[in-house]
Amino acid sequence: MTSNEEIVSRLPYAPPFLFVDHIDHIDEDGAKGSFYLDPELDFYKGHLKDSPITPGVILIEIMAQIGLVCLGLFLMKETADRETGPFFLVAAEIEFLKPVYPDDTVTVKSRKIYFRFGKLKCNVIMHNQRGDLVCEGSISGMLKRENGNT
């Protein structure tokens, strides 16, 4: 069994591109975690300079890191597939419902659709700290094999 802290430590990201603060729950069916959007993050300085909101591409990245990559790391460990590298995003279909602002904490929850042949696909939802659904959709990623093949 892999601890949630171990999964976060195995992520192939570092600040300022690490968008996972906590993994609250993870099992073979999905993951749930959160990230605090610090108002000092660089992308807020130029994105809608008079009234900053979180760019959609960042929201997708948060959803992918928590809902897809963390789950993929967990599933790889559980299946003893140790000859793998990180996931890379292959598809995302996300509907944005409400803006996400600086100083907000978002929670992502994913549900595995399938994990086979090195490809993981999940349904993902994101809520803001007030509990509002801010975006939802599906994300899929492919394992990068250590030998360079997918």
Side-chain angles (χ1 to χ4, degrees):
M1 188 61 106
T2 303
S3 76
N4 299 352
E5 294 80 19
E6 181 184 348
I7 290 170
V8 172
S9 74
R10 290 175 51 213
L11 287 168
Y13 314 105
F17 209 75
L18 174 63
F19 298 118
V20 181
D21 288 331
H22 303 284
I23 297 298
D24 302 316
H25 177 80
I26 196 163
D27 63 24
E28 59 280 347
D29 296 318
K32 180 180 178 186
S34 60
F35 181 71
Y36 169 68
L37 289 151
D38 188 319
E40 298 303 314
L41 289 166
D42 280 343
F43 53 79
Y44 286 128
K45 295 174 183 156
H47 190 254
L48 304 175
K49 62 185 177 180
D50 296 327
S51 181
I53 63 170
T54 308
V57 67
I58 298 297
L59 297 177
I60 292 172
E61 185 64 30
I62 295 167
M63 294 171 90
Q65 286 187 23
I66 294 172
L68 186 81
V69 180
C70 287
L71 179 59
L73 291 171
F74 176 84
L75 293 171
M76 288 186 314
K77 184 85 168 190
E78 293 298 301
T79 61
D81 188 358
R82 307 228 196 295
E83 296 183 33
T84 57
F87 278 83
F88 60 94
L89 192 62
V90 294
E93 186 175 327
I94 304 297
E95 183 176 358
F96 300 98
L97 305 169
K98 292 187 174 200
V100 176
Y101 299 100
D103 201 33
D104 209 349
T105 297
V106 293
T107 300
V108 173
K109 186 173 182 181
S110 70
R111 185 180 52 79
K112 178 181 73 179
I113 298 171
Y114 62 79
F115 179 51
R116 61 179 178 255
F117 306 115
K119 186 174 182 181
L120 176 61
K121 184 172 184 177
C122 297
N123 283 327
V124 289
I125 59 173
M126 178 185 284
H127 288 88
N128 62 22
Q129 64 196 27
R130 290 166 298 288
D132 300 325
L133 180 64
V134 295
C135 50
E136 63 183 345
S138 66
I139 297 178
S140 59
M142 184 75 77
L143 284 172
K144 180 179 184 315
R145 301 285 178 185
E146 291 300 330
N147 63 10
N149 296 326
T150 54

